[in-house]
């Protein structure tokens, strides 16, 4: 690893009590370039802009994917990352689907831990606070040719994070737009998936909804995801969530919720969720909760669902009655070292990794 530490660190200007998510970046980043059929040296360097051409193939043809991860700091200042092996496997799954080179474990996990260790002071203390980490791979070859690129970059950047969507949100069930289609790239964290979602979400916003529940592209009769999250539905005391597929992302938070629910003895069914079933459950009073989960949000509880011009209000349950909030607390307590970790999900980031290497 080539290391170039910042000579002008900005950490002294960081106010952990007053910051916004996503537009303030830590002092360093990880860069690794792919050329001539192989990855080069991993570089840990000061965060900043890089020289790219508008003819870069990643911009023109969309070969780009990413991951979302978090690092947490406990009350004693220890730093942990959460299930990083899942993100490592998934970024390579995405890269493979987009005809990009996979990264090695040494590049991904080694670079990740070194970066988090060096900039650990950027991780704010406190409930709901974390460091959001964005590993990404994108094509950098300068060529206006619709083919697989020959040059790529792997990078990791990070930004301090607070919980957002902390208040319940209203969502609209889509009966026209879809997030993904059979044979497409829905199971990959392709950058283009998010760009395609912005316009339908804008339309939903104009109707008073914060997000969309995406439905299947062929019939629009089944839930798939919600916004950028996996979706869960509670009817009576059973939780339902759609199975992953080539259209539904295999979310790390989703999998964690499933395992935590099973550990609590909650009945959880991984099966298709029909719009009809949810609407009928609302009408007969058995629909207790609907929520989304993802790395950035952890959990977003829905207060209302819109469908074909009708707005269906949902119960807002207290923590002791809510499966969504109970499982969220279980997860966050493990992530932040407040509770025991029976699954081995929490990975300690040792201090002074670079000096001890």
């Amino acid at each position: 690893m080539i290391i170039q530490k910042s000579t002008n660190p900005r950490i002294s200007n960081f106010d952990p009590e007053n910051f916004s998510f996503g537009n303030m970046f830590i002092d360093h980043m990880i860069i690794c370039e792919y050329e001539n059929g192989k990855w080069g040296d991993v570089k840990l360097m000061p965060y900043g802009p890089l020289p790219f051409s508008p003819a870069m193939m990643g911009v023109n043809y969309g070969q780009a994917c990413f991951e979302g991860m978090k690092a947490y700091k406990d009350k004693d200042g220890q730093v942990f990352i959460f299930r990083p092996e899942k993100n490592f496997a998934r970024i390579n799954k995405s890269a493979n689907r987009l005809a990009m080179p996979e990264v090695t474990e040494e590049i991904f996990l080694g670079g990740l831990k070194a970066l988090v260790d060096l900039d650990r002071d950027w991780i704010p203390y406190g409930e709901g606070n974390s460091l959001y980490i964005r590993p990404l791979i994108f094509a950098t070859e300068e060529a206006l040719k619709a083919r697989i690129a020959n040059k790529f970059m792997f990078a990791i950047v990070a930004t301090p994070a607070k919980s957002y969507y902390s208040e319940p949100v209203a969502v609209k069930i889509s009966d026209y737009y879809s997030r993904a289609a059979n044979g497409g790239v829905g199971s990959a964290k392709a950058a283009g998936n998010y760009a395609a979602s912005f316009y339908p979400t804008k339309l939903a916003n104009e109707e008073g909804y914060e997000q969309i529940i995406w439905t299947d592209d062929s019939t629009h009769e089944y839930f798939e995801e919600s916004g950028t999250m996996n979706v869960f539905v509670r009817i009576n005391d059973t939780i339902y969530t759609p199975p992953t597929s080539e259209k539904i992302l295999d979310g790390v938070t989703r999998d964690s919720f499933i395992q935590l629910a099973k550990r609590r003895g909650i009945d959880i069914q991984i099966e298709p969720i029909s719009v009809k079933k949810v609407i009928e459950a609302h009408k007969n009073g058995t629909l207790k909760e609907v929520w989304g989960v993802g790395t950035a949000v952890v959990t977003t509880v829905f207060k209302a669902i819109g469908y074909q011009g009708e707005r269906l209000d949902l119960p807002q349950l207290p923590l002791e009655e809510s499966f969504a909030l109970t499982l969220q607390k279980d997860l966050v307590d493990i992530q932040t070292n407040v509770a025991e970790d029976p699954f081995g999900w929490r990975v300690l980031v040792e201090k002074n990794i670079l000096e001890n290497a």
Side-chain angles (χ1 to χ4, degrees):
M1 182 180 295
I2 298 172
I3 303 166
Q4 180 188 351
K5 294 184 179 180
S6 173
T7 58
N8 187 29
R10 294 168 285 105
I11 183 63
S12 59
N13 299 323
F14 172 54
D15 180 0
E17 303 298 325
N18 183 28
F19 68 94
S20 59
F21 169 76
N23 55 15
M24 173 179 288
F25 296 92
I26 63 174
D27 282 315
H28 298 89
M29 61 184 179
I30 291 288
I31 295 295
C32 186
E33 295 183 82
Y34 180 94
E35 190 173 0
N36 298 322
K38 62 180 181 180
W39 289 102
D41 293 326
V42 176
K43 300 176 184 178
L44 195 161
M45 58 192 292
Y47 174 82
L50 296 167
F52 291 122
S53 162
M56 184 173 74
M57 292 178 71
V59 172
N60 288 275
Y61 303 109
Q63 277 187 288
C65 68
F66 63 85
E67 279 297 313
M69 310 175 64
K70 282 184 176 178
Y72 305 85
K73 184 178 287 182
D74 70 10
K75 61 181 178 59
D76 298 320
Q78 294 186 106
V79 170
F80 301 90
I81 49 179
F82 183 71
R83 306 188 73 179
E85 75 288 347
K86 296 280 285 185
N87 299 97
F88 168 63
R90 193 171 63 182
I91 200 170
N92 280 335
K93 178 181 178 181
S94 297
N96 186 268
R97 178 61 182 83
L98 296 172
M100 299 193 295
E102 297 182 5
V103 294
T104 66
E105 184 172 352
E106 180 181 8
I107 291 172
F108 185 93
L109 295 179
L112 172 68
K113 290 178 180 179
L115 178 65
V116 171
D117 174 42
L118 182 61
D119 279 350
R120 62 176 55 229
D121 289 345
W122 280 91
I123 307 173
Y125 285 96
E127 184 177 355
N129 293 338
S130 61
L131 183 70
Y132 182 83
I133 306 165
R134 172 58 57 85
L136 61 160
I137 305 173
F138 53 97
T140 57
E141 183 181 354
E142 184 180 22
L144 297 182
K145 297 179 180 181
R147 57 161 172 75
I148 298 171
N150 292 312
K151 297 180 181 179
F152 298 88
M153 178 172 285
F154 170 72
I156 308 177
V157 297
T159 175
K162 293 184 281 192
S163 59
Y164 65 98
Y165 285 153
S166 56
E167 297 297 321
V169 301
V171 296
K172 179 185 177 181
I173 298 175
S174 174
D175 56 6
Y176 179 73
Y177 293 103
S178 294
R179 175 186 170 273
N182 286 315
V185 293
S187 62
K189 281 188 74 71
N193 288 348
Y194 297 82
S197 74
F198 294 157
Y199 177 70
T201 303
K202 174 179 176 289
L203 297 181
N205 295 161
E206 291 169 356
E207 295 181 40
Y209 297 99
E210 285 90 350
Q211 273 295 355
I212 290 176
I213 292 180
W214 304 104
T215 51
D216 66 290
D217 65 297
S218 56
T219 69
H220 296 287
E221 293 178 0
Y222 294 92
F223 282 23
E224 291 198 333
E225 294 190 12
S226 180
T228 59
M229 302 174 287
N230 292 111
V231 65
F232 288 77
V233 173
R234 175 186 171 189
I235 298 175
N236 285 322
D237 287 337
T238 298
I239 297 174
Y240 298 88
T241 193
T244 57
S245 66
E246 62 182 358
K247 296 190 292 180
I248 297 176
L249 194 70
D250 186 8
V252 177
T253 308
R254 170 191 176 275
D255 181 72
S256 302
F257 261 63
I258 290 170
Q259 295 195 48
L260 288 166
K262 290 179 178 179
R263 184 168 183 263
R264 277 189 169 269
I266 297 172
D267 183 22
I268 183 161
Q269 300 296 320
I270 302 170
E271 62 182 47
I273 304 171
S274 72
V275 175
K276 181 180 178 181
K277 180 176 182 177
V278 173
I279 300 302
E280 287 180 349
H282 181 271
K283 289 180 178 178
N284 64 33
T286 59
L287 181 62
K288 302 300 183 183
E289 297 179 276
V290 185
W291 70 94
V293 303
T295 297
V297 300
V298 185
T299 306
T300 299
V301 175
F302 302 154
K303 65 182 179 182
I305 291 177
Y307 185 60
Q308 295 185 343
E310 186 177 5
R311 183 181 173 106
L312 310 175
D313 292 323
L314 297 172
Q316 297 301 292
L317 303 178
L319 172 61
E320 59 271 16
E321 298 178 21
S322 168
F323 287 179
L325 298 179
T326 296
L327 295 174
Q328 173 185 260
K329 186 177 187 306
D330 288 349
L331 179 60
V332 172
D333 284 352
I334 290 174
Q335 289 171 330
T336 56
N337 199 27
V338 172
E340 292 298 316
D341 177 12
F343 304 98
W345 290 340
R346 195 170 55 224
V347 176
L348 177 68
V349 178
E350 298 179 1
K351 289 186 175 181
N352 302 318
I353 290 173
L354 298 174
E355 284 78 1
N356 296 332

